[in-house]
Amino acid sequence: MAESRMQKPPKGYSVRTLPGFAIVAIFTLITLYAPIAILVMFSFNAGTSMAIWEGFSLRWYQQAVANEAVQDAAMRSLFLALVAASVATVAATMAAMATTRTRHFPGKTMIYALINQPLMVPEIVTAVALLIVFAAIKVWTGHTSMIYLIVAHTAFCVPFAYLPIRARLETMDLSLETAAQDLYASRWLTFRRVTLPLMWPGIVAGLMLAFVISLDDVVITEFVKSAGQETLPTYMLGQLRRVVTPEVNAISTVILLAGAILVSLFFRLTSKRG
Amino acid sequence: MIEIDKVTKTFGAGDVAFTALRDVSVTIRENEFFTLLGPSGCGKTTLLRLIAGFEPPTIGAIRLSGRDITRLPPNQRPVNTVFQNYALFPHMSVAGNIAFGLEMLGKPKDEIAKTVDEMLRLVRMEELKHRKTSEISGGQQQRVALARALAPHPEVLLLDEPLSALDLKLRKEMQIELKRLQSETGITFVFVTHDQEEALTMSDRIAVMSGGRILQIGNPREIYERPSERFVANFIGASNFLNGQLSAGSVTLEAGGTFTVEPPQGVADGKVSVLIRPEHVTVAGTGTDGAALTATVENVVYSGEATVAHLKLKTGEAIKARASNLPGASGLLETGVQVGVSVAPGAVTVLVD
């Protein structure tokens, strides 16, 4: 849709021929990807340095896998991301239904704003606010389980899950649901047999996006977590404060790979038409 | 039998309120091909959606076979709809679409399979049973939409401009197809269209609508030959409107000539508007001897099967004469020539203005 609205450039005009185009493009690509390339490269370093190449080895991967603290943090991260993304996706699905499958009602714009609030409020503000509230609750109840992290992650994952689901629903013709009801389907059967199967790619996309967002969160996690509740990102942050070894690079490379796979799947799902 | 009893439908409230239907009453008979005809925005689709149950009426009642269904949700009405955009389920096959209604009604599996095959045969789509709905043409989608709506054997089938997306040739084929389906299934069809020719060809009865009201209900012949109002006459077919004086069952036109008429109820003697269809007007020949009316030829339009002469009467009123082109007929009338004009007996209709 966006493409059709864009004006076509005049014939023979190409942004590539603009003076300085190549320089800006190369500079941008280098600043974006060179540090990542270097990080990945040094994850295979045989030495302990993150700056001097001493030959190829997988020792840091082996070390990371064998490291119990890493295992522990990785399991916690995966568990947290899975639970938070799932709960957020269910909430986002319901929110998307309510904001696209109903007639316009007063306050609808307000509801959009409320759902997308975590995108607009600076993360550090949310983190501090949650720290204050949760600290009070922790003192009051003495309860220090993962529930605080789950609640916090779920909350900021909702808008990321909501956006692709809503986008999917908006391209879906309302007359399909009308037709289902006309053909004797109850509200529930209309949802289960027509709405849900058609919005499914949006839901999966939303789930994956929320999962990735939860997986690499640092700021809110750092503020909310109780003692001994390191996730992979906060564990790495802690390591960087002490001895820096390419083990961190190795973990980063694995996370990078996982994220890249999920995000590519996400784009495949959301770009599929119809 | 569907009874629409004094139904009014208003959307919105206050300053933005819009009344789509105003005090509409009509009875649609069992087994009838009934057409709601009118320009866009006349309320015909709203009336259809009210019968289907997608919207509740603001005032009034709807009864189906004597049962009040005004507040019944759409999934509890024995009424099915063929949507303008077909609204086929894209994630189901052709057979899956047709089976949907029967599954929702909880019919046994073997009965569903049997009905689906029967429906595919009825709309001549047997070979495409397992195709996805995105893999078939517009005309075929139309047939699937019909089969899907007919499969649960509803009491009433509602059709919302179902042919408007098809090209002319396919549309003509589907018109015949729809008539066949209606007589084979014996289901009452309520058909919405803005195409007057489609309405005249297919319907048992037509309701002409405008501005949320039904202006006239009748069979195609009545609607075409005895329109009650100028709007109906104008909307359906080509028309000539002339002024005249009505007195004691005959009209004397201002342009000349007196004709026996059957004035509709509620029209008093005095000044009236009359309708004369162009095909009932004949150019009697050059010269003015013996003809009731005389006119000047303004323009002549040849359109293959017929020729239409645009004439100007001595009162300044315009009148069109339409004649079928016979083989070997002589050349066209010349512009500017004085001609005599005659009107077929019984062709003058007095309008309620």
Side-chain angles (χ1 to χ4, degrees):
Chain A
M1 280 313 252
E3 280 138 294
S4 64
R5 252 184 276 126
M6 263 196 285
Q7 240 179 343
K8 268 197 177 165
K11 255 195 180 166
Y13 173 88
S14 165
V15 75
R16 288 194 207 173
T17 60
L18 281 178
F21 174 80
I23 295 165
V24 172
I26 290 166
F27 178 76
T28 309
L29 289 175
I30 286 175
T31 39
L32 273 176
Y33 294 110
I36 296 174
I38 292 165
L39 175 140
V40 172
M41 191 182 113
F42 277 93
S43 71
F44 297 107
N45 197 1
T48 52
S49 167
M50 291 173 82
I52 304 154
W53 182 252
E54 289 171 40
F56 181 85
S57 131
L58 289 173
R59 63 179 280 209
W60 299 113
Y61 286 90
Q62 285 156 353
Q63 185 171 325
V65 169
N67 185 336
E68 271 179 31
V70 173
Q71 287 172 9
D72 182 53
M75 286 314 290
R76 187 172 293 106
S77 267
L78 287 175
F79 169 75
L80 179 59
L82 201 65
V83 174
S86 305
V87 177
T89 304
V90 172
T93 303
M94 294 196 279
M97 289 286 294
T99 50
T100 59
R101 257 41 198 164
T102 50
R103 277 184 207 183
H104 187 84
F105 51 87
K108 199 165 179 174
T109 327
M110 184 69 186
I111 286 172
Y112 282 136
L114 280 176
I115 292 168
N116 293 321
Q117 168 270 334
L119 298 178
M120 287 175 279
V121 177
E123 199 181 350
I124 188 71
V125 176
T126 312
V128 172
L130 287 175
L131 172 72
I132 295 166
V133 173
F134 286 163
I137 298 176
K138 282 177 196 175
V139 168
W140 184 41
T141 60
H143 186 78
T144 54
S145 74
M146 286 277 286
I147 190 73
Y148 304 101
L149 277 175
I150 290 171
V151 168
H153 276 232
T154 302
F156 71 73
C157 279
V158 166
F160 294 97
Y162 171 75
L163 290 175
I165 298 172
R166 195 187 95 183
R168 178 77 195 178
L169 278 173
E170 275 178 345
T171 61
M172 252 170 69
D173 196 342
L174 256 179
S175 69
L176 295 174
E177 281 127 317
T178 311
Q181 281 172 20
D182 188 59
L183 292 161
Y184 312 105
S186 60
R187 274 161 175 267
W188 164 245
L189 281 173
T190 301
F191 177 74
R192 207 176 65 74
R193 294 287 308 270
V194 176
T195 318
L196 190 61
L198 288 171
M199 75 195 287
W200 192 245
I203 292 177
V204 176
L207 182 73
M208 290 191 315
L209 197 59
F211 186 82
V212 172
I213 296 292
S214 163
L215 200 62
D216 81 351
D217 179 75
V218 176
V219 180
I220 289 179
T221 313
E222 188 67 36
F223 277 68
V224 170
K225 72 179 165 64
S226 306
Q229 293 181 350
E230 299 289 358
T231 64
L232 216 40
T234 60
Y235 169 78
M236 287 157 72
L237 191 68
Q239 287 301 296
L240 290 175
R241 292 203 195 106
R242 294 175 218 132
V243 209
V244 182
T245 66
E247 190 189 276
V248 172
N249 297 39
I251 301 168
S252 302
T253 306
V254 172
I255 295 179
L256 178 71
L257 203 66
I261 290 168
L262 280 175
V263 170
S264 337
L265 279 173
F266 166 79
F267 276 113
R268 282 201 67 168
L269 277 172
T270 47
S271 64
K272 213 172 108 188
R273 295 269 154 218
Chain B
M1 189 176 73
I2 311 164
E3 288 166 272
I4 313 290
D5 191 3
K6 299 196 185 73
V7 162
T8 294
K9 176 67 185 174
T10 307
F11 292 102
D15 292 342
V16 291
F18 168 73
T19 304
L21 291 172
R22 294 165 197 273
D23 198 29
V24 168
S25 290
V26 56
T27 300
I28 299 166
R29 297 170 195 147
E30 214 150 296
N31 225 332
E32 187 172 37
F33 197 117
F34 191 88
T35 298
L36 300 169
L37 173 67
S40 54
C42 71
K44 56 190 192 297
T45 297
T46 304
L47 185 51
L48 202 74
R49 292 177 62 82
L50 253 53
I51 300 173
F54 305 144
E55 310 270 356
T58 313
I59 311 170
I62 299 170
R63 282 183 290 274
L64 181 65
S65 311
R67 187 163 71 114
D68 191 326
I69 58 163
T70 315
R71 302 285 152 191
L72 216 57
N75 58 328
Q76 292 173 25
R77 299 184 184 203
V79 173
N80 290 144
T81 309
V82 177
F83 294 86
Q84 190 169 8
N85 63 355
Y86 315 146
L88 296 177
F89 304 126
H91 57 302
M92 297 177 198
S93 67
V94 166
N97 267 277
I98 299 173
F100 189 85
L102 297 161
E103 285 171 15
M104 293 303 117
L105 287 172
K107 300 276 185 212
K109 272 213 161 70
D110 50 336
E111 190 190 322
I112 294 177
K114 206 171 125 261
T115 312
V116 168
D117 285 339
E118 200 179 299
M119 286 300 134
L120 284 164
R121 213 167 27 250
L122 191 69
V123 297
R124 302 183 179 127
M125 290 277 295
E126 295 104 314
E127 324 81 68
L128 301 174
K129 184 175 177 182
H130 300 294
R131 287 283 190 89
K132 280 186 132 186
T133 55
S134 55
E135 294 166 352
I136 57 177
S137 72
Q140 291 166 338
Q141 290 183 8
Q142 164 79 82
R143 283 161 194 270
V144 177
L146 263 168
R148 183 180 72 175
L150 285 170
H153 205 86
E155 283 182 44
V156 182
L157 186 75
L158 306 174
L159 303 107
D160 186 6
E161 308 217 20
L163 308 182
S164 60
L166 305 178
D167 62 44
L168 185 67
K169 194 163 169 284
L170 206 51
R171 194 152 72 224
K172 296 276 179 207
E173 279 175 31
M174 282 308 295
Q175 287 178 5
I176 298 165
E177 190 84 7
L178 278 177
K179 274 303 272 187
R180 178 180 68 86
L181 285 173
Q182 199 250 335
S183 58
E184 279 182 25
T185 56
I187 293 171
T188 308
F189 277 35
V190 182
F191 186 83
V192 159
T193 184
H194 62 265
D195 183 331
Q196 45 107 3
E197 200 203 323
E198 204 164 274
L200 291 173
T201 327
M202 302 172 73
S203 317
D204 294 321
R205 285 196 307 154
I206 300 170
V208 183
M209 296 184 68
S210 171
R213 286 196 172 83
I214 292 181
L215 302 181
Q216 189 175 1
I217 301 172
N219 64 40
R221 188 170 275 270
E222 286 163 353
I223 296 279
Y224 184 77
E225 292 179 6
R226 291 282 171 266
S228 61
E229 304 184 31
R230 183 184 278 251
F231 179 88
V232 177
N234 216 356
F235 192 73
I236 295 167
S239 4
N240 294 306
F241 297 110
L242 298 174
N243 293 320
Q245 281 287 327
L246 174 68
S247 79
S250 63
V251 164
T252 305
L253 298 181
E254 286 177 7
T258 302
F259 303 89
T260 312
V261 292
E262 290 168 42
Q265 284 191 334
V267 177
D269 283 2
K271 202 170 167 337
V272 289
S273 255
V274 302
L275 161 77
I276 306 169
R277 296 288 184 191
E279 65 271 24
H280 298 148
V281 180
T282 320
V283 175
T286 49
T288 58
D289 298 345
L293 298 162
T294 59
T296 316
V297 179
E298 295 258 279
N299 195 4
V300 181
V301 178
Y302 174 82
S303 65
E305 65 191 50
T307 300
V308 177
H310 294 255
L311 312 166
K312 195 182 215 171
L313 295 165
K314 66 182 182 194
T315 50
E317 291 165 305
I319 186 167
K320 295 186 285 277
R322 186 176 193 273
S324 296
N325 289 325
L326 298 171
S330 59
L332 302 173
L333 289 163
E334 274 174 50
T335 309
V337 173
Q338 284 269 314
V339 291
V341 174
S342 62
V343 175
V348 177
T349 306
V350 177
L351 300 171
V352 184
D353 256 338

